[in-house]
Amino acid sequence: MTALMPDVEIDRIDRFFEAHHPFAMLDPATRQRLVGEAEVIRLDADAPIYAHGDPVPGLYIVAEGRVRVMTPEGVAVSSLQIGQCFGERGLLLDGIAPYDTFAAEPCLLFRIPAARFHQVMESVPGFAMFFGRRARASSGADGAAVTPAVPISSTLAELMTRNPITLPPEATAADAARAIADRGISCVLVADQERLSGLVTASDLCARVLAKGLGGDLPITKVMTAAPRSLPPDAVTFDAISIMVEKRVGHLPIVEAGKLVGIITRTDLVMSQAMSAPMVVGEVMRASTLEAMVNATHQIPEALAQLVGAGLDHQDVTRNVTDITDALTRKLITMAEAELGPAPVPYLWAVCGSQGRREQTGVSDQDNCLILDDRATADDEAYFDALAKRVSDGLDACGFFFCPGDMMATNVRWRKPMSVWRGYFRGWIDKPDPMARMLASVMFDLRAVAGEASLLEDLQAETLERAKRNSIFIAHMVANSLSHQPPLGLFRGFALSRSGEHRGTLDMKMNGVVPITDLARLYALMGGLAPVNTRSRLVAAREAGLISEAGGHDLLDAYDLISEMRLEDQAAQIRRGEKPDNYLIPAALSDLERSHLRSAFVAVKTMQSAATQGRHTMV
């Protein structure tokens, strides 16, 4: 392992952090501090990073290559791709690594010191939520404690089962079986005068007694898990989730001052909706079958409703949901590679649409493509066709339905070498006919998810520069940005759907969010701006002077309001047991809410008019 001084590749680290969640959410000053302290680490294939039980010196981020995570027994836990972080589990618990990690291939890693990681965790709630942890209370301007409202901050005392069923150490396996069966519970605790000795689950009785042909008179001390991991009642639910995920246990005794006072189970956490998006990501990464991944992703609607109910900003909610899809995609790619063997040439799996912008909600299809190294030959086509089919079919099984326009890597048109992709983008810019404008509006939102990220970095930089210089293309993209209009009718009232199953509703996607997304993309192309996320593009456009301070402020406020109302409506549908959609019934809103929403649509319409007249900076 060799370490370089941080300033050797400081520009590269900054660009990488700006393009990858959760670092992209940080304000520039905070991100610069991380960049300044980041260590660059290069590793050869099979080089160890840290072992189970070692102190974890900081948060690691994969910039190139892949990292493999294993249990001390040699069982694969996950394969980490470009943009993924590791080491945080040890940092969040006791500073000790729970797994073995090593480079699966030559790697480039960035490492943030533990002290700086914890400082950002404490000061940036959204950053903390990415790692699934409650930020500790901080002081507000008036000196009062300010605690972000996140669902994983509930104490175990609020959720635990008090006075759990216990048996004395002299009991037998048969006694434990009868207690579990008679009371309809999943475990019993072994205690001696309120002092916890062990835990016996129904699974333990099956695996350690029945499966071995042993009798019910076996002492319970021979069956139980002795001195099980426990937590105090003032621990928070995330502490329980972390242990359950890492130790693969479903029951945690609650002990206070040495005395057993309760128990909490995985079921308790699910029922209390404490399983957040990071938990779903963990389940996806641990899944070894497609069925297990389907079961994990079925929790996405509940996770979305939970995050919305916790009061998170819309960009944090959608980033959390997108994190699940990214993790799912990487896991499917890893499983496909395990079946098909290593790829014949380097490649990049990239995504566009809402996943590319990190703006996924409860309703999403899949938009993806493969960018291949130019060394790819016709003989390699069969491999990448099979890879794309396995990943796309897996995404569909997990609820991310096939793109109606077939903009997926399974379509050979979107599975090409870099030189072909370069030709695509040049053609769309140089000859912007209606089809080219439509394709450009999708493909300019590409983001790397797995594979060789450099295949996209150079292409994006070249494309942005070329687009910015082509005034005819920009004019066509202005027209394209007007293809979706805010739903304003006569006298600026709402223009509602007049027929079909969604009659009397507002389409908060196509007539709400999409017009702003199109404007943000237009600004990015006009200014050669690198961000892909809509809100980040709007902020960058305002800072670059492409839109006025006032116009940018109005458009950001409109985007935030429309996005929040869309998510809140989806969350309400999920809580009612309905499938979420993008159709809002304005009659269900208060007069004040309708007034604010109408004002937001007017602001978007105003900015569309400004774009048409070429006076963005004057608005």
Side-chain angles (χ1 to χ4, degrees):
M1 180 186 301
T2 60
L4 305 178
M5 292 296 292
D7 57 355
V8 173
E9 298 189 24
I10 195 163
D11 290 340
R12 179 175 189 173
I13 300 173
D14 188 33
R15 290 196 305 271
F16 188 91
F17 280 5
E18 189 174 19
H20 290 82
H21 191 53
F23 309 100
M25 75 165 62
L26 301 175
D27 64 84
T30 301
R31 194 171 66 244
Q32 282 300 316
R33 283 194 292 272
L34 290 185
V35 170
E37 295 186 25
E39 181 181 4
V40 180
I41 300 171
R42 298 184 186 277
L43 297 165
D44 295 328
D46 299 321
I49 301 171
Y50 55 69
H52 167 72
D54 286 349
V56 182
L59 178 74
Y60 293 79
I61 307 98
V62 183
E64 291 179 5
R66 287 186 302 118
V67 169
R68 186 153 296 157
V69 182
M70 312 281 288
T71 68
E73 295 75 30
V75 178
V77 174
S78 64
S79 177
L80 303 175
Q81 312 276 348
I82 293 172
Q84 290 186 279
C85 306
F86 63 99
E88 74 275 10
R89 289 300 184 197
L91 294 175
L92 291 177
L93 296 177
D94 51 12
I96 301 300
Y99 302 119
D100 298 331
T101 59
F102 62 92
E105 58 190 54
C107 284
L108 175 68
L109 308 177
F110 302 144
R111 183 170 68 197
I112 297 171
R116 178 62 69 185
F117 170 74
H118 281 295
Q119 183 182 55
V120 179
M121 286 281 287
E122 300 300 329
S123 60
V124 185
F127 189 84
M129 276 300 298
F130 177 84
F131 297 105
R133 184 200 177 194
R134 175 181 69 98
R136 290 195 187 102
S138 58
S139 251
D142 58 355
V146 178
T147 304
V150 293
I152 51 178
S153 62
S154 300
T155 64
L156 299 186
E158 301 173 66
L159 302 173
M160 70 182 185
T161 299
R162 298 179 182 274
N163 303 314
I165 303 304
T166 63
L167 292 173
E170 308 85 59
T172 64
D175 295 329
R178 279 191 293 270
I180 288 174
D182 291 344
R183 296 177 178 270
I185 55 179
S186 57
C187 75
V188 293
L189 296 165
V190 181
D192 185 7
Q193 296 182 349
E194 298 184 323
R195 297 285 173 174
L196 178 67
S197 299
L199 180 148
V200 178
T201 68
S203 298
D204 293 336
L205 292 170
C206 289
R208 301 174 185 177
V209 182
L210 294 179
K212 294 183 178 181
L214 301 176
D217 58 350
L218 187 70
I220 198 171
T221 53
K222 299 291 186 182
V223 182
M224 71 182 189
T225 297
R229 182 69 182 267
S230 64
L231 286 172
D234 60 352
V236 295
T237 52
F238 179 73
D239 297 328
I241 291 172
S242 298
I243 294 173
M244 287 180 178
V245 170
E246 295 181 15
K247 304 300 182 184
R248 299 189 179 187
V249 296
H251 306 78
L252 281 174
I254 308 301
V255 176
E256 184 175 31
K259 293 185 178 182
L260 177 66
V261 295
I263 187 168
I264 192 161
T265 68
R266 182 181 294 267
T267 301
D268 295 329
L269 296 179
V270 172
M271 294 301 291
S272 67
Q273 295 188 339
M275 299 301 227
S276 63
M279 185 68 177
V280 180
V281 171
E283 292 193 13
V284 167
M285 297 309 297
R286 290 193 311 279
S288 58
T289 65
L290 180 58
E291 181 181 9
M293 297 172 76
V294 170
N295 290 336
T297 53
H298 279 172
Q299 300 176 70
I300 292 176
E302 288 75 15
L304 182 143
Q306 172 200 343
L307 293 168
V308 173
L312 269 70
D313 292 337
H314 69 89
Q315 64 266 28
D316 291 328
V317 175
T318 56
R319 282 176 183 269
N320 270 274
V321 173
T322 306
D323 287 341
I324 299 174
T325 315
D326 287 355
L328 174 64
T329 303
R330 294 184 186 107
K331 184 67 174 184
L332 287 167
I333 289 172
T334 299
M335 293 171 66
E337 288 181 339
E339 181 180 349
L340 299 171
V345 296
Y347 71 91
L348 172 69
W349 184 280
V351 296
C352 48
S354 59
Q355 185 182 1
R357 298 188 302 273
R358 290 193 174 97
E359 295 166 4
Q360 285 190 305
T361 66
V363 188
S364 296
D365 62 353
Q366 49 178 294
D367 299 285
N368 47 60
C369 64
L370 275 169
I371 302 176
L372 312 179
D373 188 279
D374 278 333
R375 289 171 290 180
T377 66
D379 293 338
D380 300 329
E381 173 58 29
Y383 177 93
F384 289 110
D385 179 54
L387 176 77
K389 189 173 189 315
R390 282 163 173 75
V391 176
S392 189
D393 286 351
L395 288 169
D396 182 66
C398 291
F400 298 92
F401 51 89
F402 296 126
C403 174
D406 201 23
M407 300 188 78
M408 300 182 296
T410 49
N411 183 339
V412 67
R413 184 181 183 185
W414 310 123
R415 190 176 66 242
K416 293 293 185 181
M418 165 66 86
S419 57
V420 176
W421 277 100
R422 185 171 281 113
Y424 283 165
F425 279 96
R426 287 177 178 172
W428 296 333
I429 294 170
D430 294 344
K431 299 179 180 179
D433 58 32
M435 178 58 71
R437 296 203 309 262
M438 186 277 290
L439 293 172
S441 68
V442 175
M443 290 301 180
F444 279 128
D445 293 350
L446 281 178
R447 178 173 63 85
V449 166
E452 185 53 61
S454 62
L455 290 171
L456 182 59
E457 290 172 357
D458 294 342
L459 179 62
Q460 281 183 320
E462 175 187 322
T463 299
L464 285 170
E465 184 61 30
R466 192 180 191 90
K468 183 173 67 171
R469 296 198 310 265
N470 191 318
S471 59
I472 295 176
F473 171 71
I474 293 297
H476 279 274
M477 292 306 291
V478 169
N480 188 76
S481 71
L482 304 178
S483 58
H484 298 98
Q485 294 284 328
L488 291 170
L490 193 63
F491 304 118
R492 298 295 176 108
F494 291 133
L496 306 179
S497 300
R498 296 184 178 181
S499 60
E501 62 176 312
H502 301 300
R503 184 173 181 270
T505 67
L506 298 171
D507 188 336
M508 296 292 280
K509 177 182 178 181
M510 301 309 296
N511 301 118
V513 172
V514 170
I516 307 174
T517 298
D518 289 344
L519 280 174
R521 185 185 302 109
L522 171 65
Y523 301 147
L525 293 172
M526 290 172 57
L529 306 176
V532 174
N533 173 263
T534 296
R535 201 177 197 286
S536 298
R537 280 172 165 170
L538 294 175
V539 172
R542 184 178 61 182
E543 292 176 349
L546 293 169
I547 49 179
S548 69
E549 187 70 24
H553 180 80
D554 288 347
L555 197 52
L556 281 166
D557 280 354
Y559 181 59
D560 290 342
L561 177 70
I562 294 168
S563 298
E564 297 285 359
M565 294 185 76
R566 178 191 181 200
L567 282 175
E568 287 168 1
D569 190 52
Q570 289 188 2
Q573 291 174 317
I574 292 166
R575 294 187 192 104
R576 293 194 300 265
E578 302 170 2
K579 186 175 181 180
D581 60 34
N582 292 299
Y583 300 96
L584 176 70
I585 302 173
L589 303 177
S590 69
D591 289 343
L592 183 61
E593 289 171 326
R594 284 196 296 272
S595 176
H596 285 324
L597 183 58
R598 189 180 300 109
S599 296
F601 289 146
V602 170
V604 177
K605 183 68 175 177
T606 300
M607 294 303 289
Q608 285 184 326
S609 298
T612 305
Q613 300 171 32
R615 55 185 181 87
H616 334 287
T617 58
M618 297 173 61
V619 177

